[in-house]
Amino acid sequence: MAKAHVCANDAGVHQLVNHWLRTHACMEPYIIATHRQLSSMHPVYKLLHPHMRYTLEINALARQSLINGGGIIEASFSPGKYAMELSSAAYESWRFDREGLPADLIQRGVAVEDPSAPGGLKLLIEDYPYAADGLLIWSAIKEWVESYVENFYTEPDSVTSDVELQAWWSEIKNRGHHDKRNEPWWPKLTTKEDLSGILTTMIWTASGQHAAINFGQYPSEDTCRTVPPSCENSSHKKPIPNSRNSFRTLSPYFYPHCQHNFKQPKSWLFKTPYQLTHLMKNTWVK
């Protein structure tokens, strides 16, 4: 039962902080600024467009049925009606300069800088597939972005003299992330290296990071026996049963809203991870 409670709280943090906040909500300012400030012919627009293509559409759908007041997330996950407050609280510690994989691993204490190691990073946990595989993807993205930027920004002042690019970065910081506009950790945008680092972080967030967080949900969290999103009985009157009870008995504590829906449990047990990991073809933006 203790494990169920840990899993329930972890599921809430996973969905509302690591998934929704860090890979969906925080991407919106980049996308909006890209469309507002960069011409569709601008090389940075061309580079980012495939990675930002469906995010606003997905976020709009999420606001309609997942994270809305009384929606699936509030009704099903442990934070309940405080779900968005949890995301807001987590945003207080959000930093753009820590959204890249190497910085994130170092900040969490699972890696240290090591110039002799592949990618310049040594993992402190030997068997850590997310980090090991992720660093390979990060390095590939970084190499591609640096080559791309080098091809278009050939002069020393190419970045600072690009009016559209400077307006793009200014909007991201000052309007998109207005609450954090004066933070000292925002990267400068004066050199090709600065631009490459910023773009690598954005692309990693939208691709490798989101894939790691999102696409494993359906096979790993498809029933509340695996990852119970909530551990409370809606009546708050019955004692919590012991682990020898059947799944049917325990289910109201793991997933309060499936207790009256056992003839068709899939509508509740599978709905959230399925919606979060699948796109209906009719909703794709061309």
Side-chain angles (χ1 to χ4, degrees), residues 248-260:
R248 179 182 291 272
T249 304
L250 290 172
S251 64
Y253 300 85
F254 290 160
Y255 217 128
H257 297 275
C258 72
Q259 59 182 314
H260 302 301

Side-chain angles (χ1 to χ4, degrees), residues 231-252:
C231 281
E232 64 176 1
N233 185 277
S234 57
S235 65
H236 298 286
K237 295 179 181 180
K238 299 178 181 179
I240 298 176
N242 61 49
S243 59
R244 294 182 180 179
N245 288 84
S246 67
F247 174 58
R248 179 182 291 272
T249 304
L250 290 172
S251 64

Side-chain angles (χ1 to χ4, degrees), residues 88-105:
S88 297
Y91 179 67
E92 294 296 321
S93 60
W94 179 89
R95 292 177 51 159
F96 181 86
D97 63 330
R98 290 180 178 174
E99 291 304 289
L101 180 60
D104 175 59
L105 294 174

Side-chain angles (χ1 to χ4, degrees), residues 39 48 51-52 60 63 86-87 129 144 154 161 164 176 180 205 223 271:
S39 162
L48 291 178
H51 305 287
M52 300 179 172
R63 289 186 171 98
L86 176 63
S87 287
W144 157 244
T154 57
S161 62
E164 288 186 21
K180 297 182 176 291
T205 302
T223 72
K271 190 170 186 180

Side-chain angles (χ1 to χ4, degrees), residues 43-239:
V44 171
Y45 180 99
K46 293 287 190 181
L47 177 66
L48 291 178
H49 180 66
H51 305 287
M52 300 179 172
R53 191 174 177 186
Y54 306 119
T55 304
L56 292 182
E57 173 73 4
I58 295 168
N59 289 3
L61 294 172
R63 289 186 171 98
Q64 292 174 9
S65 61
L66 290 177
I67 64 169
N68 57 307
I72 294 173
I73 297 294
E74 284 194 6
S76 308
F77 284 81
S78 54
K81 64 180 180 180
Y82 302 105
M84 288 297 97
E85 290 190 36
L86 176 63
S87 287
S88 297
Y91 179 67
E92 294 296 321
S93 60
W94 179 89
R95 292 177 51 159
F96 181 86
D97 63 330
R98 290 180 178 174
E99 291 304 289
L101 180 60
D104 175 59
L105 294 174
I106 292 172
Q107 190 270 332
R108 291 193 289 115
V110 294
V112 293
E113 293 185 14
D114 183 355
S116 64
L121 216 61
K122 178 182 179 182
L123 296 177
L124 300 181
I125 301 176
E126 184 175 346
D127 185 16
Y128 193 180
Y130 164 77
D133 296 346
L135 286 171
L136 294 176
I137 297 172
W138 169 271
S139 297
I141 295 172
K142 183 173 181 289
E143 182 180 349
W144 157 244
V145 170
E146 288 175 346
S147 175
Y148 186 91
V149 169
E150 182 70 33
N151 187 59
F152 287 97
Y153 292 89
T154 57
E155 302 299 326
D157 63 343
S158 296
V159 173
T160 55
S161 62
D162 188 333
V163 178
E164 288 186 21
L165 187 67
Q166 294 298 325
W168 168 79
W169 186 233
S170 177
E171 177 170 326
I172 288 172
K173 295 186 299 180
N174 298 314
R175 298 185 65 181
H177 289 282
H178 181 77
D179 293 349
K180 297 182 176 291
R181 64 192 183 281
N182 295 320
E183 296 288 352
W185 42 254
W186 282 107
K188 304 294 183 182
L189 183 54
T190 57
T191 66
K192 292 180 288 186
E193 291 73 23
D194 295 338
L195 178 58
S196 296
I198 291 168
L199 294 175
T200 300
T201 296
M202 291 180 178
I203 293 173
W204 161 256
T205 302
S207 58
Q209 176 72 350
H210 180 263
I213 290 172
N214 180 70
F215 294 116
Q217 292 179 109
Y218 194 48
S220 67
E221 303 175 17
D222 60 349
T223 72
C224 47
R225 284 172 289 185
T226 309
V227 180
S230 180
C231 281
E232 64 176 1
N233 185 277
S234 57
S235 65
H236 298 286
K237 295 179 181 180
K238 299 178 181 179

